[in-house]
Amino acid sequence: MIKNLMRRGLPAFAFAVLPLLAGTLPAAATAPGSELTVTSHVSEPPFAGGLGGRLAPLPLFEAIDRIPGAVEQRDGYKRDLYKHWNRGVNADDGCDTRREVILSEAVEAPEVGAGCKLTGGSWLSPYDGVTVTAAGGLDVDHMVPLAEVHDSGGYAWDASRREAYANDQASPLTLIAVTAKSNRSKSDKDPAQWLPPAGGYRCQYTAEWVATKLRWALAADEAEREALLGLAEDCSGTTVVYEPAP
């Protein structure tokens, strides 16, 4: 459980050119309007400038306003342009990025066998609030789906940046372990088209989506922007901190 809470952190946004550090809260469902901070990255050591080493997180509305607007461009999209899963953070553990994310988000750690075969363990899928007791029942979802990334600016990226996004573990928000059912339901939809069934998670989901878009300098079309602003109306206490991707 501790690993899961440390990884997911909370919704947050920060100034787009500086690494940010914000306090984290449990990743449990949070009632709309309650205070919530989502952090896309925790720096070690803490950033040593301004406000005693910390910068204040952005309110959700302000964070949304920092996402540039643009018409989506799907031309040329192929899923295999975004190479995943690679060898992960630890190239010697025998686990690819997908399995490393699953391990990091376990509520109860599974046993890890040869070839990173996972046995036992349990997970809580934030999208639908379902407890999963076998790793095979999980998908690792990209918070902003690969097709949406492509639409929103990834079409201009080179292969290395596409791979970096597709395997991003430097932020605890880019990748998330969820039930296969909820991931298939979401598919490549943005918040104008799909929201997690677990209503208590929606403020955090909105902030994590926004944080990921800002981290990777991705745009939003008008329908997406309006949906995010509408969601923010019910998430008045939610703030966001993010660190731009290298």
Side-chain angles (χ1 to χ4, degrees):
M1 182 64 170
I2 292 174
K3 288 183 180 178
N4 182 47
L5 296 180
M6 288 178 65
R7 176 182 164 79
R8 297 269 358 130
L10 322 155
F13 274 49
F15 297 93
V17 295
L18 296 174
L20 296 172
L21 177 67
T24 57
L25 303 175
T30 303
S34 60
E35 289 189 8
L36 181 63
T37 298
V38 171
T39 308
S40 74
H41 179 83
V42 177
S43 303
E44 289 187 4
F47 177 60
L51 298 180
R54 291 172 181 254
L55 293 176
L58 293 176
L60 183 54
F61 275 114
E62 193 172 333
I64 293 169
D65 282 343
R66 289 174 181 258
I67 300 176
V71 176
E72 293 188 347
Q73 299 188 42
R74 181 65 62 95
D75 292 350
Y77 172 71
K78 294 180 181 179
R79 188 172 175 83
D80 60 10
L81 289 173
Y82 295 78
K83 182 180 177 182
H84 64 290
W85 306 104
N86 65 19
R87 295 176 66 186
V89 173
N90 183 354
D92 299 322
D93 66 2
C95 300
D96 61 11
T97 295
R98 177 182 178 276
R99 289 181 176 85
E100 288 183 352
V101 171
I102 288 173
L103 282 167
S104 72
E105 298 200 352
V107 175
E108 296 180 14
E111 294 184 7
V112 183
C116 201
K117 181 179 180 180
L118 307 181
T119 305
S122 68
W123 294 262
L124 178 64
S125 167
Y127 286 178
D128 48 13
V130 172
T131 296
V132 178
T133 55
L138 295 166
D139 280 356
V140 172
D141 183 38
H142 294 88
M143 173 57 63
V144 177
L146 297 179
E148 171 70 19
V149 168
H150 194 84
D151 294 348
S152 306
Y155 60 83
W157 292 354
D158 62 18
S160 63
R161 190 159 183 82
R162 288 172 175 164
E163 182 177 357
Y165 175 81
N167 298 275
D168 181 20
Q169 293 191 70
S171 165
L173 308 184
T174 307
L175 302 171
I176 179 173
V178 295
T179 59
K181 180 180 179 180
S182 65
N183 186 38
R184 312 297 162 78
S185 173
K186 176 184 174 183
S187 185
D188 62 359
K189 302 178 181 74
D190 68 27
Q193 304 159 321
W194 185 90
L195 290 171
Y201 176 66
R202 289 185 179 179
C203 287
Q204 181 164 338
Y205 180 80
T206 302
E208 292 183 350
W209 178 280
V210 175
T212 303
K213 282 249 167 164
L214 288 175
R215 172 170 168 76
W216 288 92
L218 296 167
D221 65 13
E222 188 60 29
E224 178 187 341
R225 174 180 167 78
E226 291 303 314
L228 292 171
L229 290 172
L231 289 161
E233 292 281 355
D234 294 324
C235 303
S236 60
T238 301
T239 57
V240 180
V241 175
Y242 75 98
E243 182 179 25

